Each structure stands twice: as C-alpha cells, then as structure tokens.
Amino acid sequence: MQGEIMDIGLDNLLGETARIKVEGYRFVTISCVEINEIRMELLYHFDRNFQLKHLRLSISRDCRAPSISPVYFAAFLVENEIQDLFGIRFHGLTVDYDRTLYLEKDVKTAPFCKFAVVEKSPVCEEKTP
Amino acid sequence: MIRHGILIAAALIFGPLVGGLISGMDRILTARVQSRIGPPLLQPFYDVIKLLGKEKVVVNVWQAFCANAYLTAASIAVVLLCLRSDLLLILFIQAVGSVFLVVGAFSSTSPYSQIGAHRELLQMLCYEPLLILVAVGVYLQTGSFRIAAVHALHQPMLLKLPFLFLVLGLVLTIKLRKSPFDLSTSHHAHQELVKGLLTDYSGPLLALTEIAHWCDTALLLGFCSLFWATNPIGALLLVAVTYLMEIWIDNVCARMNWRWMLGYGWGMGMALSLVNLVWLYAR
Amino acid sequence: MFTMTSTILRNLLKEPATRRYPASVRPSFEAARGEIRNDIHVCTFCGVCAVKCPSQCITVDRKAADWSYDPSACVQCGVCAEVCTSGSLQQARDYRKPVRKKELVVLKGATTPPKHSDPPVTG
Amino acid sequence: MTRTIIPFGPQHPVLPEPIHLMLTLDDEVITEAVPAFGFVHRGLEKLVEIRDFHQMIYVVERICGICSMLHAMCYCQGIEEMMGIETPPRARFLRVIWSELHRMHSHLLWLGLFADSFGFESLFMQFWKIREKILDIDEATTGNRIIVSVNVIGGVRKDLTLEQTRGILSELKSVETELKRLETTILNDYTVQNRTVGKGVLTAKQAYELGLVGPTLRASGVMQDARMLKYAAFDDIAFTPVVETDGDCYARCKVRFREVFQSIDLIRQAIGKLPNGEIAVKVKGRPDGEVTSRVEQPRGEVFYYIRANGTKHLERLRVRTPTFANVPALLTMLPGAGLSDVPVIVLSIDPCISCTER
C-alpha cells in the first residue's frame, strides 16, 4: 500500500490525528475492516500532496472509539457511516446521527458485519486493547 | 340587453379558451427555441381536463373557496373588458382575484406555500402600482377610464404611450410567471419552492387556478391590444409581437430573486411610466 | 444580458434535436450492446456464461438441457457472449422491447446432437 | 416573516437525486442546514462477499451512473497494482480517452443541471443537447451510453479503429464549436452572474481543511487533481489542472466549463499518441494484500481501499467517492445564504448521492 502506515491505539489516536493535521495533511477517509468475531480495524487515511499516510487502529467490537471529527470536521460523515454499517460507536461526534444516517431508527444489527451482531451498550471506553 | 348577454357568454367561454390556446402555443414555441418538438397545441386543455377528473382533496375550506373566488374574479374581469367597462374597475377586480389566490396559499400550513404566497404578495406589490400608472396614462390620453373611450380614438395609443406599453410588458412578464420573475411559482417545478404558491392546490382546485390563469392571460393581452385599438389586425399583431417578446425574455434570462425584482421592477417601471406621463402632460 | 438570443434563434430555425420516439427510431450503432440471444441448437450447456455473469441472471441446467435467462436482471455487459465457448450466445444490436410483466426466457435444447437443418430459434 | 423550517428534499425537483436538507430559515435566510441520507443506500461494498473480483468491476461501475467508467478504472488499477500486472500502453491510452469522454458528459450534465438550478431552462436544454453527442460517441465505440463496461483487469475490452478515432475527433470539433457559442451565456450573462457570483464562497484554507476534492476544491484556488498522480497514460500527456481562485459558485462553474475544453484537448493528445499493440494482458492468479487506488473523477478524487486474501473474493472493498468528501462543504456554505440560492449552492458541489451512499 502506498504511503506510510502507523499502528496506533485508542489513547494516542486523537493526538496523532492532531499532529497530522498540523503537518498539513488533508483528511481522506476512514476504512473499517472486520477482522474476526472480536476485532475490527479502523484505517485512517490522510493525504498531503498525493503522499498518503495511514493510521491503523485495532479495536474491539464492543469498544467506543474517540471521534476525530473535532479535529477534522469532515470525518463526522464517515464515522456516522461506520456507526451505521459496522456498529462501532464513536464518542465526541460533532454531528451524531445516532445510527440513522442510513438505517431506520429501530435497526439494531450492523448490516456490513459478517458475524451477526446485535447492538449492545459498549462495555469498555478508551481502553487500550 | 340580449347583445350584452351574448357578449358576456362569449367572454366567459372565449376568455379561458383563448388563454389556453395561447398557453399551448407558448409551450410549442418555447420547446422549439430549446430545440425540442414540444407538446401538442391542446396540451394545456388535456392537462386541465385530467386535473378536473382527479379526486378532490381539500386542504381546508378556505383554500377551496379562494380557488373559486380567484376564478370568479378573473372571469368577471374578462367579461368587463369585453363590455368595454371601466379600466380601473377591471384592474381592481383582477387584483382581488390575485389576493384570493394568495390568501388561499396562506391558509395552508406548507412552508413552500407560505413562502410562495409571501413572494406573490411582493410581486403584486411590484406590478399593481405599475398597472395603475398605465391606466393613468390611458386616462391622460383619452380623458376617461372607460375602454369605450379608447376605441373612440383615431390614432393608436401606442404612438403616444410607448414607454407605458413597455411597462405593461414588464407587468405581463411578472403576471405570466416568466423568467426572470417566476419567483412565487413557475410552470415547471424546477424551482427552490417546487410549486410555491400552488403547492397545496391539487386536482380540480388546481385546474380552477389554471383556468383563472388563462383568464388573466387573456385579460392582460386584451389590455395590450387596446394600445392598437383602431385596427383589429394591428391589435392582433401587437399582441403577437408582445407575446413573442415574452417567450424571448423567458428563454434568455435566469430566474432572479425578489429583491432584484422589487429594485428592477420598480426602478425601471416607475422611471419609464414617469417619463411617459410627464411627456404626455407637457405636450 | 440576453446573450442567449442568437442560440435560441438558431434553434428556432433548425430542426428539433428530439424525435417523436415510438414513431421514429434511430437505428442502433453497430457496437451497441442489446439483447442477449442464444442459439440453443449450438449451445453446449457448458455453463461458463452462468458462472461469469456478474448479475447472475443466467442459469444452465446441463442434464435437462435448459438455458434460462432473466432479462430484467441482465446488465447488458456482454461478458457471457464474450466467454461463450460454443459461440451460441450473441449480443444483438437492438434493445429488448419493453414488456408488461417480468418473465424468464427459458430455452430448451435437444439432448441429441444439434441438427443444423432446423431454423435457429432465438429468444 | 419569522422562523420557518423547510424540509428540502428528499424528493425535490431541483435535486437530481434524493438528499434531504432540513433548512431553518429566518425570513428567507438560512440559519441552519442539516443533511440526511440513506435514501439510495444499496450496500454495494458488501457485494465483494458473493461476487468474485472480476465480477466486481461491473458492480463498482454501477455505484454511479455518471462516473461509472472511472470507478471501474480505479478498481482495476488497484487490483493491477496488487497483482503486479503491467497494462499494455494502448490500453492505458484508451482508458484516458474514455475517462475524459466521461468527464465531458458528466460536466455537461452538471452544467445543464446548474443552469436549471437558477431557472435558465433553455440553457439547460442546450447543454444536454451537446451531451447527447458524447453519449453517442460512447455508444458507437463501447456499446453503451453511460455504463460503458470497457475496463477489465489487465486492460480494456474494446478497441478503437482508426475510423472511430477520426469520428471522435470530428464530433469533438463540433462539440467544441457549440460549447464556445454558449460560453458568453454561462460565463458572462448578467442574469447568470447575478445568481452565481459571490454565492457559497469557500476560501482555499476552508476548502482544504474540509477535505474537499475536485472542481469544488480547485475553484477555491488549491491545485489538486488526482490526474497529477500520472496514472494510466497521464505521464505521456501534457496536463495542468484548471484552477480558479474566487471559491464561489461562479468559479466552480468556470472550472468545470474550462475542464470540458481541457478534456477535449486531452482526448486529442491521447488519440494523437495512441500506440499500437495489445489492449489487454491475461490475468493469472488471485489478488492478495492491501492497496489504495485513486483516480480523478468528474466530481473529484475517488479513493479505493482494497484488501484481498488470495481467494477469488476480496476481503474488503472501501470506496470513498468525491461527493462524500464534498458534502461537509454544504454545512459550511448554506448558513447565511438565501433560500433562492440553495439549489445553486447545493448543485455547485455536483452532488452525486448514489455515489455517496453506494
């Protein structure tokens, strides 16, 4: 994959993102990949003059991730999308659709997950996996 | 008396008929200048017949009443024009009809309808004073507000009131809801307000407003024809040229906003009328 | 202002760009991707088309010599005709005519070797 | 008038596609705008689980009806990079030709819709009339008008004959003349300028920080165009991005209008340098690993993240379409604008909602 990849944890995600913003990177998007029944992977993509930089965050399915939308406003849309499709909850979202961006209000499942997951309330918060 | 009866009946039938046919021709010509074939000539009538056949959904009683009142006022205005009655009376009755249309839109709760009604009021505010000024010009020329006096002239009014005729053209553009003035509602719904003023009228009630609109068109074009009242062919030509200009304006302008309309309409309209009136008075 | 005038006058004098569609139809381009037709007498029921089809609108039953195709699910990509081993699948130039009901095109081939004297049946 | 709340869309005649905007108005001035989506979400990314990586080309093409060719191209380039496939030069040039034809018809479509958004119906018809010529070229050369399905992994499926390239060049000439005729109207007409100049202004800093892409970003004075990555045959073709500095709806219109001419130029260059040879190479094996791929679509940069695991089904396909990146701009531009400017501003980012929701 083009560009450098950095593995990060829940605790230094916001710090890294802020640093990347200061360096003049543009927010591209976040990709969510389902690894197995427990782990999910969030890939944050940034770009500066066509040089990509990726942050790789491994996260447990029932964890809440901090939202980077206070740093990059544009991230609110994709974070809401991940909330809807993969069921990972974000906290601190600037605009929170509460899983209604694509879904109806009463949907509890995450349609993009291969392993059928019904939404539960998150058990851990900002804990390094 | 019988003659009057026939005239009234003719006005009631031919007013909307002529308006509808003009609307059909308008649609064909507009299509042609846009490189399209366009609908058949009778399409407006097909549309209205279809609307009349639809289920009647009344948003509230007021609105139903208003649609009927609008049609009534518009027809009365056409009848009075055919009877060669008082110009001011005709204009006021026409204005009353438009007010009913606005009130009907205000009586519904849809925001599109509300904003459309608001804009329509602003449009009326813009064109009504201008219409009165044109009537004043006619009075200065003929010495009377009666249309019969216009017909008694030996020379076409256009020669003496050229600028006021332009003002009438401006009013016509607003009344016909042509670009750049299709603010409150437009013939197609590609507008920020969708159908604006007419959003909540539907089915047979919408058909009534459409027929009333044809009456309004016939009335205003009849008013235009007065400017060449000495010769029927001249009158016809004048109306045809005026309408062609309307189609032209419609197709070379973008839609503007109401601030621009007030500024431009008033500024331009008032200036042209005053120039003409002062000129008439000075002679 | 009024910069559009010359254009609209030109349009008025020229023929309209639109057609009265059902009455006048433009002939299809040579390369146009239209309806999928199967010459069932040539078809060997190998099933490659069914495997490659991205919208999975073709089903082939080898034993019963059945070839069925769902035109309303077809995306007209032409992959099936491209991969057809026997050359029985062809993509016609013309589009399929509109229909009132969705229906499957089911073609039944002979289980015996193809007879070339028969007129080809297309679907 | 007092505070009004207008539900703008999802089915609004001005909007080509369903997006819902909850507008709070204070006497025809917008104070707040909240967009809502989810009316055309199809979950196409999820289809990787049941369609193999060859079939996915036809799926990603259908993400968007207007930039379909570029979706497929981006996807194929990603897989080719992952599998280490070198595409033949002729295929790369052909990709440029078809992708620029796509940009042209997309921009012409947009120019028409944009004219319609400020009520200039006859101009709208003109642009769409010209667009029809491009669609005819597409149909004559590839077989389909919009979803051309020419890309395969390893190259392209269709070739251009000498006669066809001549046909394209002569059609482009007439398109160019007809467009030149409309230039004064779309760029210099008083009524058009009145509706577009100074509306929805975004500064270069704002636009960059919001992560905008494509003409929306370039109209604000940031020179960024994914074609500068020199994918396909862009390393052999002279290319400078079109940039405007005003950042308003007029500048966006100008960028797109000039890009149509730029595309004509790029197609001419590509046809002039079109090398002979194969149009596709055979693909063996299966993709493995992860890759990102970027292509400049008419609406801006599209970003693909592909992860594969050596089977015929990909593990994950993630698509970030340009409109998805441009939507946040609406939240910045709409507050403070008048109601009559809403269609103009919303269309100025060239929203493609099918793309956004996939």
Side-chain angles (χ1 to χ4, degrees), chain D residues 100 103-104 107 110-111 127 176 179 183 186-187 215 218-219 223 227 239-245 250-266:
Chain D
E100 290 308 313
R103 190 180 320 279
M104 283 177 72
H107 278 352
W110 178 85
L111 284 161
F127 279 120
E176 197 178 19
L179 269 176
E183 189 170 3
I186 189 81
L187 295 182
R218 289 197 287 279
M223 194 196 272
R227 282 174 284 182
F239 165 76
T240 351
V242 176
V243 179
E244 289 289 329
T245 48
Y250 177 71
R252 277 165 226 146
C253 176
K254 211 169 171 179
V255 165
R256 291 194 175 99
F257 192 77
R258 283 173 55 198
E259 278 190 3
V260 181
F261 289 105
Q262 183 191 42
S263 292
I264 295 179
D265 175 51
L266 291 175

Side-chain angles (χ1 to χ4, degrees), chain B residues 25-34 36 247 250-251:
Chain B
M25 280 191 268
D26 180 354
R27 281 166 79 164
I28 292 177
L29 263 174
T30 302
R32 289 294 294 110
V33 298
Q34 293 172 355
R36 292 184 285 125
I247 294 175
D250 189 30
N251 281 292

Side-chain angles (χ1 to χ4, degrees), chain D residues 125-340:
Chain D
M125 298 284 175
Q126 285 306 305
F127 279 120
W128 279 40
K129 189 174 114 185
I130 300 174
R131 174 173 181 253
E132 210 59 29
K133 287 195 176 167
I134 313 286
L135 297 182
D136 279 352
I137 297 179
D138 274 354
E139 192 173 356
T141 54
T142 69
N144 281 355
R145 279 156 57 86
I146 291 171
I147 303 194
V148 293
S149 300
V150 286
N151 284 288
V152 282
I153 294 161
V156 288
R157 278 170 73 192
K158 301 262 177 175
D159 202 352
L160 287 181
T161 60
L162 193 63
E163 200 183 329
Q164 279 173 331
T165 53
R166 286 205 190 112
I168 294 177
L169 288 177
S170 73
E171 278 293 288
L172 287 184
K173 185 128 197 87
S174 77
V175 166
E176 197 178 19
T177 1
E178 288 197 32
L179 269 176
K180 278 262 157 64
R181 216 173 270 152
L182 293 179
E183 189 170 3
T184 44
T185 308
I186 189 81
L187 295 182
N188 299 332
D189 192 84
Y190 166 73
T191 53
V192 175
Q193 286 198 352
N194 188 297
R195 292 304 306 277
T196 53
V197 173
K199 308 281 180 226
V201 182
L202 283 176
T203 61
K205 188 165 178 286
Q206 273 178 316
Y208 189 80
E209 281 192 354
L210 282 169
L212 307 188
V213 290
T216 321
L217 178 64
R218 289 197 287 279
S220 291
V222 182
M223 194 196 272
Q224 184 160 311
D225 190 319
R227 282 174 284 182
M228 288 156 83
L229 282 166
K230 305 211 178 296
Y231 60 82
F234 279 105
D235 46 352
D236 290 331
I237 292 174
F239 165 76
T240 351
V242 176
V243 179
E244 289 289 329
T245 48
D246 295 336
D248 55 2
C249 291
Y250 177 71
R252 277 165 226 146
C253 176
K254 211 169 171 179
V255 165
R256 291 194 175 99
F257 192 77
R258 283 173 55 198
E259 278 190 3
V260 181
F261 289 105
Q262 183 191 42
S263 292
I264 295 179
D265 175 51
L266 291 175
I267 296 170
R268 281 185 185 146
Q269 285 191 49
I271 288 180
K273 291 179 181 171
L274 192 61
N276 289 323
E278 285 292 302
I279 54 165
V281 290
K282 273 251 173 285
V283 179
K284 285 197 198 82
R286 279 167 183 171
D288 194 4
E290 55 181 345
V291 79
T292 58
S293 173
R294 282 188 283 177
V295 154
E296 182 75 10
Q297 277 190 348
R299 287 158 185 77
E301 167 203 276
V302 64
F303 177 91
Y304 270 62
Y305 169 75
I306 307 167
R307 184 188 284 203
N309 48 12
T311 62
K312 69 175 187 174
H313 296 293
L314 300 177
E315 197 177 332
R316 173 88 170 106
L317 173 70
R318 162 97 180 103
V319 185
R320 199 293 317 266
T321 54
T323 311
F324 199 93
N326 283 336
V327 162
L330 287 183
L331 277 79
T332 317
M333 290 192 287
L334 283 176
L339 177 64
S340 55

Side-chain angles (χ1 to χ4, degrees), chain B residues 20-256:
Chain B
L21 281 176
I22 289 173
S23 159
M25 280 191 268
D26 180 354
R27 281 166 79 164
I28 292 177
L29 263 174
T30 302
R32 289 294 294 110
V33 298
Q34 293 172 355
S35 268
R36 292 184 285 125
I37 294 174
L41 178 66
L42 296 182
Q43 190 63 44
F45 295 102
Y46 302 149
D47 290 351
V48 162
I49 290 168
K50 186 184 120 188
L51 283 176
L52 283 173
K54 293 222 166 198
E55 188 192 354
K56 192 169 184 174
V57 182
V58 180
V59 178
N60 58 45
V61 187
W62 253 108
Q63 195 163 45
F65 170 72
C66 287
N68 285 297
Y70 175 39
L71 179 59
T72 314
S75 324
I76 291 175
V78 174
V79 168
L80 288 178
L81 184 79
C82 285
L83 292 178
R84 301 182 179 187
S85 168
D86 194 295
L87 200 52
L88 274 186
L89 183 65
I90 295 172
L91 293 182
F92 274 112
I93 288 179
Q94 181 270 126
V96 167
S98 307
V99 168
F100 269 113
L101 182 67
V102 173
V103 171
F106 264 130
S107 70
S108 81
T109 47
S110 152
Y112 288 114
S113 199
Q114 295 271 332
I115 295 176
H118 190 243
R119 286 191 185 176
E120 178 75 9
L121 274 185
L122 287 164
Q123 287 191 4
M124 288 173 66
L125 209 63
C126 183
Y127 73 74
E128 288 297 344
L130 298 178
L131 265 183
I132 303 293
L133 280 176
V134 176
V136 169
V138 173
Y139 173 81
L140 283 180
Q141 180 63 19
T142 61
S144 163
F145 275 117
R146 294 193 70 80
I147 295 176
V150 177
H151 284 274
L153 287 176
H154 297 295
Q155 209 184 17
M157 265 202 306
L158 184 66
L159 302 177
K160 293 285 159 56
L161 306 171
F163 293 123
L164 278 175
F165 188 75
L166 288 181
V167 174
L168 189 61
L170 186 73
V171 174
L172 197 62
T173 320
I174 302 179
K175 268 311 266 190
L176 288 177
R177 312 192 188 293
K178 298 268 186 204
S179 285
F181 300 117
D182 46 349
L183 303 166
S184 61
T185 177
S186 63
H187 291 292
H188 51 82
H190 287 217
Q191 202 220 29
E192 64 271 14
L193 289 183
V194 193
K195 214 40 180 148
L197 185 70
L198 300 177
T199 303
D200 270 354
Y201 290 98
S202 67
L205 290 182
L206 186 61
L208 293 188
T209 61
E210 190 58 35
I211 297 171
H213 184 68
W214 293 345
C215 289
D216 268 1
T217 311
L219 175 81
L220 278 167
L221 290 177
F223 194 6
C224 284
S225 74
L226 291 183
F227 280 71
W228 205 290
T230 48
N231 181 346
I233 296 170
L236 208 64
L237 263 176
L238 184 65
V239 169
V241 169
T242 314
Y243 208 88
L244 285 179
M245 294 310 262
E246 292 300 333
I247 294 175
W248 169 67
I249 286 280
D250 189 30
N251 281 292
V252 298
C253 283
R255 181 187 310 116
M256 302 304 238

Side-chain angles (χ1 to χ4, degrees), chain A residues 36-53:
Chain A
N36 54 32
E37 287 92 329
I38 305 153
R39 309 303 306 170
M40 302 279 252
E41 201 175 277
L42 288 177
L43 272 151
Y44 293 76
H45 311 281
F46 303 93
D47 169 274
R48 185 178 67 184
N49 285 332
F50 300 111
Q51 288 299 308
L52 284 168
K53 192 168 203 167

Side-chain angles (χ1 to χ4, degrees), chain C residues 33 36-38 42-58 60 67 77-91, chain D residues 52 54-55 57-58 152 157-158 282:
Chain C
R33 291 190 192 138
I36 297 294
R37 291 182 187 156
N38 192 7
V42 181
C43 182
T44 55
F45 303 98
C46 63
V48 175
C49 51
V51 173
K52 292 282 179 181
C53 175
S55 65
Q56 298 173 349
C57 67
I58 300 174
V60 179
W67 184 89
C77 63
V79 166
C80 50
E82 235 168 60
V83 297
C84 183
T85 49
S86 62
S88 73
L89 266 182
Q90 299 282 331
Q91 190 158 28
Chain D
D52 71 34
H54 287 292
Q55 291 174 336
I57 302 170
Y58 306 100
V152 282
R157 278 170 73 192
K158 301 262 177 175
K282 273 251 173 285

